[in-house]
Amino acid sequence: MIRKILVVDDSQLLHKMYELVLRRYVVHGTTILHAYDGVQALDLAGIHTDIDLILLDVNMPNMNGIEFLRLRNPNPVLACIPVIVISTEGKERDATLALSEGAADYLTKPFDPSELHAKIELILDKWNGANRANG
């Protein structure tokens, strides 16, 4: 069960699009939190300790997505939240960098909503399975 998804992107328009794409999760009681850079994301993640998934852009002001990943890694609470990086950066080295910094997956914009849904389900199933095995 997904309780909270944190969307981190500097585009107001993309936040509206995520609301539409994630509507099926909202229907089932999921809350979507919005941050417009990595600094806001860290603040929200510190307040909302029950975030289940982060959708993260790379190119943002104040703190980009890679910087966010690097700062979240040493924090045991934040490091266990799966992150899907969704970026306009489509080079293999960009995806490799995000994955090496702890992202669970990487999508390029524009993305297919059904592909995002499939990745969310796969990642959360894997994450919930690992938590059941560890708990």
mmCIF file of all heavy atoms in Angstrom, residues 28-60:
data_model
loop_
_atom_site.group_PDB
_atom_site.id
_atom_site.type_symbol
_atom_site.label_atom_id
_atom_site.label_comp_id
_atom_site.label_asym_id
_atom_site.label_seq_id
_atom_site.Cartn_x
_atom_site.Cartn_y
_atom_site.Cartn_z
ATOM 1 N N HIS A 28 -6.756 5.373 -4.195
ATOM 2 C CA HIS A 28 -6.588 4.348 -3.163
ATOM 3 C C HIS A 28 -6.005 4.917 -1.873
ATOM 4 O O HIS A 28 -5.481 4.173 -1.050
ATOM 5 C CB HIS A 28 -5.717 3.200 -3.686
ATOM 6 C CG HIS A 28 -6.336 2.501 -4.848
ATOM 7 N ND1 HIS A 28 -7.466 1.717 -4.735
ATOM 8 C CD2 HIS A 28 -6.012 2.482 -6.161
ATOM 9 C CE1 HIS A 28 -7.809 1.247 -5.913
ATOM 10 N NE2 HIS A 28 -6.955 1.691 -6.807
ATOM 11 N N GLY A 29 -6.087 6.238 -1.685
ATOM 12 C CA GLY A 29 -5.687 6.832 -0.425
ATOM 13 C C GLY A 29 -4.266 7.355 -0.340
ATOM 14 O O GLY A 29 -3.799 7.702 0.742
ATOM 15 N N THR A 30 -3.580 7.421 -1.442
ATOM 16 C CA THR A 30 -2.212 7.918 -1.441
ATOM 17 C C THR A 30 -2.192 9.438 -1.483
ATOM 18 O O THR A 30 -2.947 10.057 -2.217
ATOM 19 C CB THR A 30 -1.437 7.352 -2.647
ATOM 20 O OG1 THR A 30 -1.394 5.939 -2.518
ATOM 21 C CG2 THR A 30 -0.021 7.889 -2.715
ATOM 22 N N THR A 31 -1.289 10.024 -0.708
ATOM 23 C CA THR A 31 -1.079 11.463 -0.711
ATOM 24 C C THR A 31 0.122 11.771 -1.590
ATOM 25 O O THR A 31 1.129 11.054 -1.537
ATOM 26 C CB THR A 31 -0.793 11.966 0.722
ATOM 27 O OG1 THR A 31 -1.901 11.628 1.541
ATOM 28 C CG2 THR A 31 -0.549 13.452 0.753
ATOM 29 N N ILE A 32 0.019 12.827 -2.381
ATOM 30 C CA ILE A 32 1.152 13.272 -3.188
ATOM 31 C C ILE A 32 1.662 14.571 -2.596
ATOM 32 O O ILE A 32 0.918 15.541 -2.455
ATOM 33 C CB ILE A 32 0.758 13.464 -4.660
ATOM 34 C CG1 ILE A 32 0.255 12.135 -5.239
ATOM 35 C CG2 ILE A 32 1.953 13.995 -5.468
ATOM 36 C CD1 ILE A 32 -0.303 12.250 -6.634
ATOM 37 N N LEU A 33 2.950 14.564 -2.227
ATOM 38 C CA LEU A 33 3.617 15.756 -1.716
ATOM 39 C C LEU A 33 4.417 16.372 -2.850
ATOM 40 O O LEU A 33 4.921 15.653 -3.724
ATOM 41 C CB LEU A 33 4.553 15.388 -0.566
ATOM 42 C CG LEU A 33 3.922 14.668 0.623
ATOM 43 C CD1 LEU A 33 5.006 14.192 1.583
ATOM 44 C CD2 LEU A 33 2.939 15.579 1.324
ATOM 45 N N HIS A 34 4.574 17.693 -2.821
ATOM 46 C CA HIS A 34 5.264 18.388 -3.905
ATOM 47 C C HIS A 34 6.425 19.213 -3.368
ATOM 48 O O HIS A 34 6.269 19.966 -2.412
ATOM 49 C CB HIS A 34 4.291 19.322 -4.636
ATOM 50 C CG HIS A 34 3.160 18.588 -5.275
ATOM 51 N ND1 HIS A 34 3.258 18.011 -6.515
ATOM 52 C CD2 HIS A 34 1.905 18.316 -4.835
ATOM 53 C CE1 HIS A 34 2.110 17.430 -6.814
ATOM 54 N NE2 HIS A 34 1.275 17.602 -5.805
ATOM 55 N N ALA A 35 7.588 19.040 -4.014
ATOM 56 C CA ALA A 35 8.767 19.866 -3.737
ATOM 57 C C ALA A 35 9.293 20.351 -5.080
ATOM 58 O O ALA A 35 9.176 19.661 -6.099
ATOM 59 C CB ALA A 35 9.832 19.069 -3.003
ATOM 60 N N TYR A 36 9.898 21.542 -5.075
ATOM 61 C CA TYR A 36 10.337 22.157 -6.325
ATOM 62 C C TYR A 36 11.848 22.201 -6.477
ATOM 63 O O TYR A 36 12.362 22.706 -7.467
ATOM 64 C CB TYR A 36 9.701 23.553 -6.461
ATOM 65 C CG TYR A 36 8.203 23.415 -6.592
ATOM 66 C CD1 TYR A 36 7.378 23.393 -5.477
ATOM 67 C CD2 TYR A 36 7.630 23.211 -7.839
ATOM 68 C CE1 TYR A 36 6.009 23.207 -5.606
ATOM 69 C CE2 TYR A 36 6.266 23.024 -7.980
ATOM 70 C CZ TYR A 36 5.460 23.015 -6.853
ATOM 71 O OH TYR A 36 4.104 22.809 -6.983
ATOM 72 N N ASP A 37 12.561 21.651 -5.496
ATOM 73 C CA ASP A 37 14.016 21.455 -5.599
ATOM 74 C C ASP A 37 14.429 20.476 -4.507
ATOM 75 O O ASP A 37 13.614 20.062 -3.679
ATOM 76 C CB ASP A 37 14.783 22.785 -5.496
ATOM 77 C CG ASP A 37 14.583 23.510 -4.180
ATOM 78 O OD1 ASP A 37 14.459 22.861 -3.122
ATOM 79 O OD2 ASP A 37 14.562 24.751 -4.209
ATOM 80 N N GLY A 38 15.701 20.102 -4.514
ATOM 81 C CA GLY A 38 16.192 19.131 -3.544
ATOM 82 C C GLY A 38 16.130 19.611 -2.110
ATOM 83 O O GLY A 38 15.919 18.811 -1.188
ATOM 84 N N VAL A 39 16.298 20.909 -1.890
ATOM 85 C CA VAL A 39 16.232 21.458 -0.536
ATOM 86 C C VAL A 39 14.839 21.246 0.048
ATOM 87 O O VAL A 39 14.690 20.755 1.173
ATOM 88 C CB VAL A 39 16.620 22.956 -0.524
ATOM 89 C CG1 VAL A 39 16.412 23.566 0.848
ATOM 90 C CG2 VAL A 39 18.060 23.149 -0.981
ATOM 91 N N GLN A 40 13.813 21.618 -0.719
ATOM 92 C CA GLN A 40 12.432 21.408 -0.258
ATOM 93 C C GLN A 40 12.151 19.920 -0.048
ATOM 94 O O GLN A 40 11.444 19.538 0.885
ATOM 95 C CB GLN A 40 11.438 21.985 -1.254
ATOM 96 C CG GLN A 40 11.376 23.486 -1.273
ATOM 97 C CD GLN A 40 10.357 23.999 -2.290
ATOM 98 O OE1 GLN A 40 9.812 23.257 -3.099
ATOM 99 N NE2 GLN A 40 10.106 25.302 -2.241
ATOM 100 N N ALA A 41 12.695 19.086 -0.921
ATOM 101 C CA ALA A 41 12.483 17.643 -0.797
ATOM 102 C C ALA A 41 13.068 17.111 0.504
ATOM 103 O O ALA A 41 12.426 16.312 1.195
ATOM 104 C CB ALA A 41 13.096 16.918 -1.999
ATOM 105 N N LEU A 42 14.280 17.539 0.848
ATOM 106 C CA LEU A 42 14.880 17.102 2.112
ATOM 107 C C LEU A 42 14.055 17.578 3.299
ATOM 108 O O LEU A 42 13.848 16.826 4.264
ATOM 109 C CB LEU A 42 16.318 17.608 2.229
ATOM 110 C CG LEU A 42 17.358 16.897 1.367
ATOM 111 C CD1 LEU A 42 18.706 17.602 1.480
ATOM 112 C CD2 LEU A 42 17.478 15.426 1.745
ATOM 113 N N ASP A 43 13.558 18.812 3.231
ATOM 114 C CA ASP A 43 12.719 19.344 4.304
ATOM 115 C C ASP A 43 11.443 18.511 4.459
ATOM 116 O O ASP A 43 11.079 18.118 5.573
ATOM 117 C CB ASP A 43 12.353 20.809 4.050
ATOM 118 C CG ASP A 43 13.530 21.756 4.226
ATOM 119 O OD1 ASP A 43 14.559 21.354 4.816
ATOM 120 O OD2 ASP A 43 13.423 22.910 3.753
ATOM 121 N N LEU A 44 10.766 18.254 3.352
ATOM 122 C CA LEU A 44 9.524 17.471 3.412
ATOM 123 C C LEU A 44 9.775 16.046 3.884
ATOM 124 O O LEU A 44 8.995 15.495 4.661
ATOM 125 C CB LEU A 44 8.829 17.456 2.044
ATOM 126 C CG LEU A 44 8.047 18.707 1.678
ATOM 127 C CD1 LEU A 44 7.558 18.621 0.237
ATOM 128 C CD2 LEU A 44 6.875 18.905 2.620
ATOM 129 N N ALA A 45 10.865 15.445 3.422
ATOM 130 C CA ALA A 45 11.186 14.077 3.832
ATOM 131 C C ALA A 45 11.505 14.016 5.324
ATOM 132 O O ALA A 45 11.262 12.999 5.973
ATOM 133 C CB ALA A 45 12.347 13.536 3.002
ATOM 134 N N GLY A 46 12.032 15.094 5.870
ATOM 135 C CA GLY A 46 12.293 15.145 7.301
ATOM 136 C C GLY A 46 11.016 15.261 8.115
ATOM 137 O O GLY A 46 10.930 14.763 9.240
ATOM 138 N N ILE A 47 10.009 15.909 7.566
ATOM 139 C CA ILE A 47 8.721 16.092 8.254
ATOM 140 C C ILE A 47 7.837 14.863 8.082
ATOM 141 O O ILE A 47 7.211 14.387 9.020
ATOM 142 C CB ILE A 47 7.999 17.345 7.710
ATOM 143 C CG1 ILE A 47 8.798 18.601 8.051
ATOM 144 C CG2 ILE A 47 6.580 17.431 8.247
ATOM 145 C CD1 ILE A 47 8.332 19.846 7.307
ATOM 146 N N HIS A 48 7.764 14.359 6.846
ATOM 147 C CA HIS A 48 6.901 13.217 6.515
ATOM 148 C C HIS A 48 7.762 11.955 6.470
ATOM 149 O O HIS A 48 8.305 11.599 5.426
ATOM 150 C CB HIS A 48 6.209 13.432 5.170
ATOM 151 C CG HIS A 48 5.342 14.643 5.144
ATOM 152 N ND1 HIS A 48 4.028 14.614 5.547
ATOM 153 C CD2 HIS A 48 5.599 15.929 4.780
ATOM 154 C CE1 HIS A 48 3.506 15.819 5.440
ATOM 155 N NE2 HIS A 48 4.439 16.638 4.970
ATOM 156 N N THR A 49 7.863 11.279 7.585
ATOM 157 C CA THR A 49 8.752 10.117 7.672
ATOM 158 C C THR A 49 8.121 8.848 7.094
ATOM 159 O O THR A 49 8.760 7.801 7.113
ATOM 160 C CB THR A 49 9.167 9.874 9.132
ATOM 161 O OG1 THR A 49 7.979 9.704 9.925
ATOM 162 C CG2 THR A 49 9.974 11.048 9.664
ATOM 163 N N ASP A 50 6.900 8.952 6.570
ATOM 164 C CA ASP A 50 6.234 7.784 6.011
ATOM 165 C C ASP A 50 6.124 7.841 4.487
ATOM 166 O O ASP A 50 5.233 7.246 3.896
ATOM 167 C CB ASP A 50 4.852 7.612 6.639
ATOM 168 C CG ASP A 50 3.955 8.831 6.439
ATOM 169 O OD1 ASP A 50 4.462 9.916 6.083
ATOM 170 O OD2 ASP A 50 2.738 8.685 6.658
ATOM 171 N N ILE A 51 7.054 8.523 3.840
ATOM 172 C CA ILE A 51 7.069 8.572 2.369
ATOM 173 C C ILE A 51 7.471 7.200 1.846
ATOM 174 O O ILE A 51 8.430 6.594 2.319
ATOM 175 C CB ILE A 51 8.036 9.668 1.866
ATOM 176 C CG1 ILE A 51 7.512 11.047 2.270
ATOM 177 C CG2 ILE A 51 8.231 9.576 0.352
ATOM 178 C CD1 ILE A 51 8.482 12.182 2.021
ATOM 179 N N ASP A 52 6.728 6.720 0.855
ATOM 180 C CA ASP A 52 6.974 5.399 0.289
ATOM 181 C C ASP A 52 7.781 5.426 -1.004
ATOM 182 O O ASP A 52 8.381 4.420 -1.378
ATOM 183 C CB ASP A 52 5.639 4.702 -0.006
ATOM 184 C CG ASP A 52 4.853 4.465 1.254
ATOM 185 O OD1 ASP A 52 5.329 3.718 2.117
ATOM 186 O OD2 ASP A 52 3.758 5.046 1.389
ATOM 187 N N LEU A 53 7.770 6.565 -1.700
ATOM 188 C CA LEU A 53 8.415 6.649 -3.005
ATOM 189 C C LEU A 53 8.707 8.106 -3.323
ATOM 190 O O LEU A 53 7.908 8.982 -2.990
ATOM 191 C CB LEU A 53 7.487 6.067 -4.083
ATOM 192 C CG LEU A 53 7.964 6.116 -5.527
ATOM 193 C CD1 LEU A 53 9.140 5.169 -5.737
ATOM 194 C CD2 LEU A 53 6.833 5.771 -6.478
ATOM 195 N N ILE A 54 9.844 8.334 -3.983
ATOM 196 C CA ILE A 54 10.203 9.677 -4.440
ATOM 197 C C ILE A 54 10.383 9.630 -5.955
ATOM 198 O O ILE A 54 11.089 8.768 -6.468
ATOM 199 C CB ILE A 54 11.497 10.179 -3.766
ATOM 200 C CG1 ILE A 54 11.308 10.259 -2.247
ATOM 201 C CG2 ILE A 54 11.923 11.534 -4.349
ATOM 202 C CD1 ILE A 54 12.584 10.549 -1.476
ATOM 203 N N LEU A 55 9.716 10.551 -6.649
ATOM 204 C CA LEU A 55 9.929 10.765 -8.083
ATOM 205 C C LEU A 55 10.758 12.032 -8.189
ATOM 206 O O LEU A 55 10.321 13.097 -7.758
ATOM 207 C CB LEU A 55 8.600 10.909 -8.814
ATOM 208 C CG LEU A 55 7.626 9.745 -8.661
ATOM 209 C CD1 LEU A 55 6.329 10.028 -9.421
ATOM 210 C CD2 LEU A 55 8.244 8.445 -9.136
ATOM 211 N N LEU A 56 11.947 11.938 -8.761
ATOM 212 C CA LEU A 56 12.954 12.995 -8.658
ATOM 213 C C LEU A 56 13.472 13.443 -10.014
ATOM 214 O O LEU A 56 13.956 12.631 -10.799
ATOM 215 C CB LEU A 56 14.119 12.468 -7.809
ATOM 216 C CG LEU A 56 15.309 13.366 -7.561
ATOM 217 C CD1 LEU A 56 14.942 14.530 -6.648
ATOM 218 C CD2 LEU A 56 16.448 12.552 -6.939
ATOM 219 N N ASP A 57 13.403 14.744 -10.257
ATOM 220 C CA ASP A 57 14.019 15.352 -11.433
ATOM 221 C C ASP A 57 15.513 15.537 -11.146
ATOM 222 O O ASP A 57 15.934 15.541 -9.986
ATOM 223 C CB ASP A 57 13.355 16.704 -11.713
ATOM 224 C CG ASP A 57 13.811 17.355 -13.002
ATOM 225 O OD1 ASP A 57 14.344 16.654 -13.887
ATOM 226 O OD2 ASP A 57 13.638 18.574 -13.137
ATOM 227 N N VAL A 58 16.306 15.724 -12.174
ATOM 228 C CA VAL A 58 17.734 15.976 -11.982
ATOM 229 C C VAL A 58 18.026 17.473 -12.026
ATOM 230 O O VAL A 58 18.636 18.024 -11.119
ATOM 231 C CB VAL A 58 18.591 15.233 -13.043
ATOM 232 C CG1 VAL A 58 20.044 15.660 -12.961
ATOM 233 C CG2 VAL A 58 18.475 13.728 -12.844
ATOM 234 N N ASN A 59 17.585 18.140 -13.078
ATOM 235 C CA ASN A 59 17.929 19.552 -13.281
ATOM 236 C C ASN A 59 16.950 20.465 -12.560
ATOM 237 O O ASN A 59 15.833 20.690 -13.040
ATOM 238 C CB ASN A 59 17.948 19.884 -14.776
ATOM 239 C CG ASN A 59 19.018 19.104 -15.496
ATOM 240 O OD1 ASN A 59 20.128 18.984 -15.008
ATOM 241 N ND2 ASN A 59 18.682 18.548 -16.641
ATOM 242 N N MET A 60 17.395 20.986 -11.396
ATOM 243 C CA MET A 60 16.569 21.888 -10.594
ATOM 244 C C MET A 60 17.472 22.940 -9.961
ATOM 245 O O MET A 60 18.665 22.695 -9.759
ATOM 246 C CB MET A 60 15.858 21.117 -9.470
ATOM 247 C CG MET A 60 14.889 20.067 -9.942
ATOM 248 S SD MET A 60 14.153 19.166 -8.561
ATOM 249 C CE MET A 60 15.550 18.222 -7.957
#
